[in-house]
Amino acid sequence: MSDLFDDPAGPPGGVSTRTRVLVWAVVALLAVFFGLTAFAGLWTDRLWFSSLGYGSVFAKVFWVKVALFLAFGTTMGAGLAVAMWLAFRSRPFLHPAQLESGLERYRDAVNPIRTWLWLGVAAVAGAFAGVSAASRWRTFELWLHATPFGEKDPYFHKDVGFYVFDLPWLHMLVSFAMAASVVAVLGSLLVHYLYGGIRLQSPGDRLSQAAQVQLSVLLAVFVLAKAADYWLDRYDLTSSDSALFTGIGFTDDHAVLPAKSTLSGIALICAVLFLVNVWRRTWLLPGVGVALMAVSAVLLGLIWPAIVQTVQVNPSKTDKETSYQAKNISQTRKAYAIDDASVEVEDYTQEPSATAQAKELNAETSSAPLVDPKQAKPFFEEQQQVRKYYTVSPILDVDHYEMDGTDRALVLSTRELDESASAVTKSWTNLHTVYTHGSGVIAAYANQRPLDNDAESVDVQFAQGNEASQNDLVTAGPGEFEQRIYFGEQSPTYSIVGRPQGARSVELDLARDASSDEDDTTTYDGVGGVKIGSTWRQLLYAIKFNSANILLSERVNDNSQILYDRTPKERVEKVAPWLTLDDDAYPVVANGRVTWVIDGYTTTDRYPGSQSESFKTMTDDSLQQETTGPRTLPTDEVNYMRNAVKATVDAYDGTVTIYAWDESDPILQTWSKVFPGTVQPKSSIPAWLTPHLRYPEDLFKVQRYQLAKYHVTDASAFIDGSDEWQVPNDPNDTSLTKSVPPVRMFQDDASSGTETWSMTSTFTPKERNNLAAIMTVNSDASSADYGRISVLERPDQQTQGPGQVVADMKNDAGVSQALLPYTRSSSGVVSYGSLLTVPTASDGLVYLMPVYAQQAATSSYPVLAYVLASYRGNIGYGRTLEAALSSALANTGSSGTGDTGSGGSTTSPSASPSTSPTASPSASASGSPSSSPTSAKELLGQAQDLFTQADAAGRAGDYTTREELLKQAEEKVAQALVMMG
């Protein structure tokens, strides 16, 4: 082997010493720069994990990656180096005249640097192989710590764990063996050709005996690995996609599967022929083997399956595929937890009542969340922003709290820092040491306005104690809490906190006195940051964040900590890199803290026979955020999903805690063995947190997507597709391509007679607009029925669907007339909230939709102008829910009594305002004739004019006139109802 490392003298002349020194100096500087940058990133990551108490996660991932890099990189590099060394050592000693013409100059160029060149080539190949292997550390760990699923697949009758844990690792090994043999063959060919082992222009043997032996062995290894690859491909069919479904179909079973087995056998024979070629000096037999394998791959792998599909399957698809489709249905329903054990489907035949009363309907729908999480953001900022450098979430969160002894739905958001605000001076000191955190939680009742309680008419009613001086959300449940938000969804990239002993505080904080124009200052004293008191750490973080100020600023002192990776998703993603996270983290105010909760999923695309689909496609709706977390799979295709954990992040100190939720999940059990101690048992979830744990939104949307097709359990009917549903598009989304978002709300539980915290959505028949079914899941984690999915199916499918109802509401003449003050002005803006479909126990379906309106000239934010209601095909509107319901019932003469606020109802182009309690006729203040009206229609028209004037007076701030006009309008409505009988 010493010949390989000889360093013969090169040709005279060459590069000057000065140039060489300069080149090496540049190389050294680049190496130091990139090396220090990489080291800074690595070491600061270690410090970050250690500060959170998850140093074991960092160490485990790091050393596993290192081990895989070294194992696979060394194997690849050493294999290539040995192959080239063997080729060089076995080179024939020929006279220069016997060598290939034109190669002499290449040998002369290579010889002086032969050792370093070949070592460099081997090192590069090894590095690529090592990096590739290190990136597959999850595959290795899942295989090493695999947990059986305890259930067999319906095809090969192997445990499901074989497909999820073992098969990916086996494929990785086989692929590596094929890649290593190919690289070794290429390296050997090059050296043999360069040094005469291969002579293409020779009239005799073109390969030396040594070259033939070496290449035959390497090619045998490659073909042997290919045989194993064909054999493993058989199992991949259980999760491969066909035209109809994921899994083995008729063509796979009768053509592809036998073809894979046959090709594996042919590859084995071909490998034997290559080994025989070691002793026989002919390439005829290996050539015949390779040709046979290539022809068989085309005939058996491509042509024959196409023939079977075209001739046998397509003419009688239902007959051929029924038994295979049945397996796909069963496996899919189990993999997504939408089987009979989790989903209850029942017919919903309750029809709208002709004698329904407004107060009855109001009682059944009073929990409907009319404050839309997307539309309410501007109002939240206007009323509760307090300072211009604060903001709220683009889409507010919905949760439920006990308020004065009653469980109430709230729309809420943390008040977070907005660094882009014009009020923030953009200096490094301000951005990273002064504006460091948000402050408090803003909450409003999801289904209540002050008008409901005869108070001043504003958009929404904030939960009691919303003032900053009272810590924003103060109720009988949460109580006083730490309101500083250092870790939130919109936190700065990094902040440096902490001050020297005796120095003044510099971090800007919201004043405790809401009436004060002056801000307070504070100093972070939590444990969620990394200490950077030493110059060494300051240097590392200066490199990491590309900012010399971290090293030079006087604001960085011995007591300083640096806070970064601050969003809840970022923190959980790093400490649990095996999870797929829900898109929505939400804040919980309890136990004196603000705590972020985020749901974590275990997913795979290897569950045998289950339908595979893009995670993004299944979860996309009109409220979906654009940001997505890192993928734990090579693609975002999944065919198995479990809500394995509930993770929490403390909003003040950033502490991350991961609690097991679905402890029966084999994937969770496997990862718990990989990272022991990082997942806390379900029993350790604190009592104060459980009431605020909820059914995760992304899981619900994935189940909704699959249930649209897989509610059908009969294989023949499934293939026929006649009963397939779809998730309707949001009729209020401008693109008309986004699905309707699910809604969280309290719903009546007919079995218990109580309200249940739920999440609900709708289905329509495929390519039709009628209502097909309503899907609801129990979202109360403290309930024994948590996670139970109920599907109320409309058997006749003749009920109006969401799109049709919204179209009727928007085109209704009465609604259009009520919105004229906003739509007739160029500065007016009208927007619609999510449509709510509420199935009542005794009065059929009720549709509700909030309408937000804004006059840009007089208001900087939209207000909740009206509530729209649809019942029995009648459209009603009003300032409150009961007013809208009374309005919808007005034409039937069945509206209830009570003070319902302003409203209208139409079944024709004219508007019909709603009822009022008892009232006596009075003259109109709008200038209408004082003579007695001749019809109820005329009275209602006068009332509508009064309502419009009352709106104008309210916007102008003249509330005395507004109340008088409303009173007169209600009297007109009462008179009209008397005339209508």
Side-chain angles (χ1 to χ4, degrees):
M1 187 173 178
S2 59
D3 291 345
L4 177 61
F5 299 99
D6 289 344
D7 190 14
V15 182
S16 66
T17 302
R18 179 179 298 178
T19 303
R20 288 180 178 177
V21 170
L22 181 60
V23 169
W24 281 111
V26 171
V27 170
L29 287 174
L30 290 175
V32 169
F33 173 78
F34 288 111
L36 189 57
T37 301
F39 176 79
L42 182 66
W43 196 254
T44 54
D45 272 354
R46 176 185 174 276
L47 295 174
W48 186 92
F49 277 92
S50 297
S51 71
L52 274 178
Y54 286 91
S56 60
V57 174
F58 174 84
K60 183 62 175 287
V61 174
F62 175 76
W63 289 114
V64 168
K65 287 183 175 181
V66 168
L68 290 173
F69 178 89
L70 292 177
F72 284 82
T74 301
T75 302
M76 174 69 79
L80 177 57
V82 169
M84 291 190 296
W85 175 74
L86 288 174
F88 179 77
R89 291 288 293 175
S90 61
R91 67 192 184 282
F93 294 95
L94 302 173
H95 189 275
Q98 295 177 286
L99 298 174
E100 297 281 300
S101 61
L103 291 181
E104 187 66 29
R105 65 177 180 273
Y106 294 110
R107 283 192 296 274
D108 291 340
V110 167
N111 281 332
I113 58 171
R114 182 177 62 242
T115 300
W116 296 109
L117 178 63
W118 292 355
L119 288 178
V121 169
V124 169
F128 276 106
V131 169
S132 177
S135 68
R136 302 288 300 276
W137 67 270
R138 294 182 181 87
T139 301
F140 170 73
E141 291 289 359
L142 287 174
W143 166 77
L144 187 63
H145 300 89
T147 301
F149 270 68
E151 56 184 88
K152 306 288 186 181
D153 79 279
Y155 310 106
F156 298 99
H157 307 292
K158 289 182 172 290
D159 187 89
V160 172
F162 167 78
Y163 300 92
V164 176
F165 304 128
D166 299 337
L167 190 57
W169 174 250
L170 295 176
H171 266 301
M172 179 179 168
L173 292 178
V174 169
S175 297
F176 174 77
M178 295 171 62
S181 58
V182 168
V183 170
V185 166
L186 293 176
S188 300
L189 283 172
L190 181 61
V191 175
H192 277 300
Y193 181 66
L194 190 62
Y195 288 95
I198 298 176
R199 291 172 292 165
L200 301 179
Q201 301 174 6
S202 173
D205 292 335
R206 290 182 170 83
L207 274 71
S208 66
Q209 182 176 0
Q212 179 165 321
V213 170
Q214 184 176 4
L215 294 177
S216 295
V217 171
L218 291 175
L219 290 172
V221 172
F222 172 79
V223 179
L224 192 62
K226 187 60 181 176
D229 189 50
Y230 278 131
W231 188 258
L232 294 178
D233 283 348
R234 298 162 63 252
Y235 301 113
D236 288 336
L237 293 176
T238 61
S239 56
S240 63
D241 290 324
S242 66
L244 279 180
F245 51 81
T246 299
I248 293 178
F250 182 90
T251 301
D252 296 322
D253 194 16
H254 292 81
V256 180
L257 190 58
K260 295 292 184 182
S261 301
T262 303
L263 288 171
S264 180
I266 293 174
L268 279 174
I269 295 172
C270 192
V272 171
L273 294 177
F274 273 111
L275 291 176
V276 170
N277 197 48
V278 171
W279 294 277
R280 294 177 58 89
R281 298 291 303 273
T282 176
W283 288 92
L284 178 61
L285 291 179
V288 170
V290 170
L292 175 62
M293 190 167 65
V295 172
S296 299
V298 174
L299 293 178
L300 298 179
L302 298 176
I303 297 178
W304 177 241
I307 293 174
V308 171
Q309 181 69 32
T310 303
V311 176
Q312 290 187 266
V313 177
N314 291 346
S316 53
K317 186 174 296 183
T318 301
D319 294 336
K320 299 295 185 183
E321 299 284 18
T322 297
S323 62
Y324 302 99
Q325 181 68 74
K327 294 176 182 178
N328 168 260
I329 292 172
S330 175
Q331 293 295 98
T332 300
R333 288 168 62 88
K334 283 192 296 184
Y336 291 103
I338 54 173
D339 54 1
D340 291 338
S342 303
V343 179
E344 180 181 0
V345 181
E346 58 181 310
D347 289 343
Y348 182 74
T349 57
Q350 187 66 46
E351 295 297 333
S353 172
T355 60
Q357 300 294 307
K359 282 193 174 296
E360 296 173 357
L361 284 180
N362 184 66
E364 293 182 291
T365 61
S366 60
S367 297
L370 299 176
V371 179
D372 190 89
K374 186 176 183 179
Q375 302 295 339
K377 169 184 164 63
F379 182 80
F380 265 57
E381 288 194 331
E382 180 70 21
Q383 296 295 315
Q384 292 291 320
Q385 185 181 23
V386 183
R387 299 289 186 268
K388 291 298 184 183
Y389 45 79
Y390 288 125
T391 186
V392 299
S393 301
I395 298 175
L396 307 184
D397 292 296
V398 181
D399 201 353
H400 63 114
Y401 287 81
E402 186 175 320
M403 312 289 287
D404 297 327
T406 303
D407 207 5
R408 297 292 301 273
L410 298 181
V411 177
L412 68 163
S413 171
T414 53
R415 184 190 288 112
E416 298 206 40
L417 193 64
D418 181 11
E419 286 187 310
S420 64
S422 58
V424 178
T425 304
K426 305 300 190 295
S427 68
W428 183 90
T429 300
N430 278 346
L431 292 176
H432 299 292
T433 67
V434 176
Y435 296 93
T436 60
H437 62 281
S439 182
V441 175
I442 310 167
Y445 294 107
N447 60 334
Q448 180 175 319
R449 305 173 66 191
L451 188 61
D452 295 338
N453 297 329
D454 298 323
E456 293 297 328
S457 179
V458 296
D459 187 20
V460 297
Q461 181 168 337
F462 288 100
Q464 59 181 347
N466 55 284
E467 295 299 330
S469 61
Q470 301 173 15
N471 284 338
D472 299 314
L473 179 61
V474 182
T475 71
E480 294 287 334
F481 64 95
E482 171 58 67
Q483 69 170 0
R484 288 173 290 177
I485 309 294
Y486 280 90
F487 297 87
E489 292 182 300
Q490 302 179 70
S491 294
T493 304
Y494 72 92
S495 294
I496 296 176
V497 296
R499 60 186 172 89
Q501 191 70 26
R504 66 181 181 88
S505 299
V506 297
E507 297 175 50
L508 201 62
D509 195 27
L510 190 62
R512 300 285 77 81
D513 182 3
S515 62
S516 173
D517 292 332
E518 299 295 328
D519 289 312
D520 287 342
T521 56
T522 187
T523 298
Y524 177 80
D525 57 3
V527 295
V530 178
K531 297 181 183 300
I532 55 170
S534 68
T535 303
W536 170 243
R537 290 191 177 186
Q538 293 169 16
L539 173 63
L540 292 178
Y541 278 100
I543 294 172
K544 178 179 179 67
F545 291 108
N546 193 28
S547 174
N549 290 306
I550 296 177
L551 188 62
L552 303 176
S553 173
E554 294 182 355
R555 289 286 175 92
V556 184
N557 56 80
D558 292 343
N559 296 325
S560 291
Q561 298 181 57
I562 186 168
L563 312 178
Y564 62 100
D565 289 339
R566 300 168 68 177
T567 71
K569 288 186 69 173
E570 282 179 319
R571 296 180 81 76
V572 177
E573 282 165 358
K574 291 189 71 170
V575 302
W578 43 276
L579 285 173
T580 297
L581 298 182
D582 193 89
D583 185 64
D584 183 31
Y586 61 98
V588 169
V589 183
N591 197 39
R593 315 285 286 188
V594 178
T595 303
W596 293 97
V597 179
I598 186 166
D599 288 280
Y601 309 112
T602 50
T603 59
T604 183
D605 59 349
R606 288 284 184 169
Y607 195 92
S610 174
Q611 190 64 32
S612 179
E613 186 55 80
S614 162
F615 185 78
K616 184 179 186 302
T617 298
M618 292 189 287
T619 58
D620 193 27
D621 64 25
S622 59
L623 296 185
Q624 185 76 9
Q625 299 292 300
E626 293 298 325
T627 56
T628 56
R631 297 169 180 167
T632 57
L633 300 174
T635 70
D636 76 334
E637 298 281 324
V638 299
N639 69 354
Y640 171 93
M641 187 174 182
R642 288 291 185 273
N643 180 203
V645 306
K646 304 283 187 180
T648 64
V649 178
D650 190 285
Y652 179 68
D653 65 22
T655 300
V656 178
T657 309
I658 302 173
Y659 299 103
W661 187 250
D662 187 350
E663 294 181 308
S664 64
D665 176 36
I667 301 181
L668 173 61
Q669 294 172 10
T670 298
W671 283 116
S672 296
K673 290 188 286 186
V674 175
F675 299 108
T678 60
V679 180
Q680 306 304 312
K682 186 176 182 180
S683 59
S684 65
I685 296 177
W688 57 264
L689 179 61
T690 301
H692 298 285
L693 298 179
R694 66 189 192 184
Y695 201 80
E697 192 163 313
D698 281 351
L699 176 60
F700 181 82
K701 289 189 284 188
V702 166
Q703 292 174 317
R704 175 182 69 169
Y705 183 93
Q706 293 296 344
L707 202 57
K709 291 199 303 183
Y710 285 90
H711 69 280
V712 180
T713 56
D714 180 82
S716 298
F718 189 100
I719 295 173
D720 182 57
S722 58
D723 195 24
E724 185 176 342
W725 299 339
Q726 65 184 13
V727 180
N729 289 332
D730 187 345
N732 293 322
D733 177 58
T734 54
S735 68
L736 296 179
T737 59
K738 303 286 188 178
S739 299
V740 293
V743 177
R744 295 187 185 275
M745 60 188 295
F746 284 104
Q747 286 195 327
D748 289 331
D749 187 343
S751 60
S752 64
T754 60
E755 286 189 326
T756 302
W757 184 241
S758 306
M759 184 160 48
T760 183
S761 186
T762 55
F763 294 109
T764 60
K766 186 176 182 181
E767 299 179 353
R768 292 172 57 197
N769 295 320
N770 303 85
L771 182 68
I774 302 171
M775 175 182 174
T776 302
V777 66
N778 185 320
S779 189
D780 185 357
S782 60
S783 168
D785 291 327
Y786 169 86
R788 183 67 178 175
I789 297 174
S790 171
V791 177
L792 301 179
E793 184 175 0
R794 297 292 286 180
D796 57 1
Q797 297 186 354
Q798 297 302 310
T799 306
Q800 279 188 311
Q804 296 169 323
V805 171
V806 169
D808 286 350
M809 287 177 169
K810 291 181 178 180
N811 295 326
D812 181 81
V815 173
S816 299
Q817 184 176 356
L819 294 175
L820 271 179
Y822 305 99
T823 57
R824 67 188 174 192
S825 170
S826 60
S827 63
V829 178
V830 173
S831 55
Y832 299 88
S834 297
L835 180 72
L836 309 176
T837 305
V838 184
T840 65
S842 58
D843 293 313
L845 287 173
V846 179
Y847 288 102
L848 304 170
M849 186 169 70
V851 180
Y852 289 78
Q854 175 185 1
Q855 281 285 9
T858 59
S859 176
S860 60
Y861 57 88
V863 298
L864 178 53
Y866 289 100
V867 177
L868 306 185
S870 175
Y871 186 69
R872 297 182 61 196
N874 297 329
I875 307 299
Y877 64 94
R879 295 293 188 181
T880 65
L881 174 58
E882 188 172 350
L885 294 172
S886 296
S887 169
L889 291 169
N891 285 338
T892 66
S894 59
S895 63
T897 61
D899 186 2
T900 60
S902 60
S905 172
T906 60
T907 53
S908 66
S910 62
S912 304
S914 70
T915 66
S916 185
T918 56
S920 59
S922 66
S924 169
S926 63
S928 55
S930 60
S931 59
S932 299
T934 58
S935 67
K937 181 176 180 180
E938 184 178 346
L939 277 170
L940 294 176
Q942 293 175 9
Q944 183 59 50
D945 290 339
L946 290 167
F947 284 135
T948 302
Q949 295 176 46
D951 290 340
R955 289 193 300 276
D958 187 355
Y959 292 106
T960 301
T961 302
R962 172 184 175 278
E963 293 302 320
E964 180 63 27
L965 291 170
L966 285 176
K967 181 179 179 181
Q968 294 182 30
E970 289 165 357
E971 291 173 350
K972 295 288 184 183
V973 172
Q975 293 178 52
L977 289 175
V978 171
M979 296 184 67
M980 293 166 62

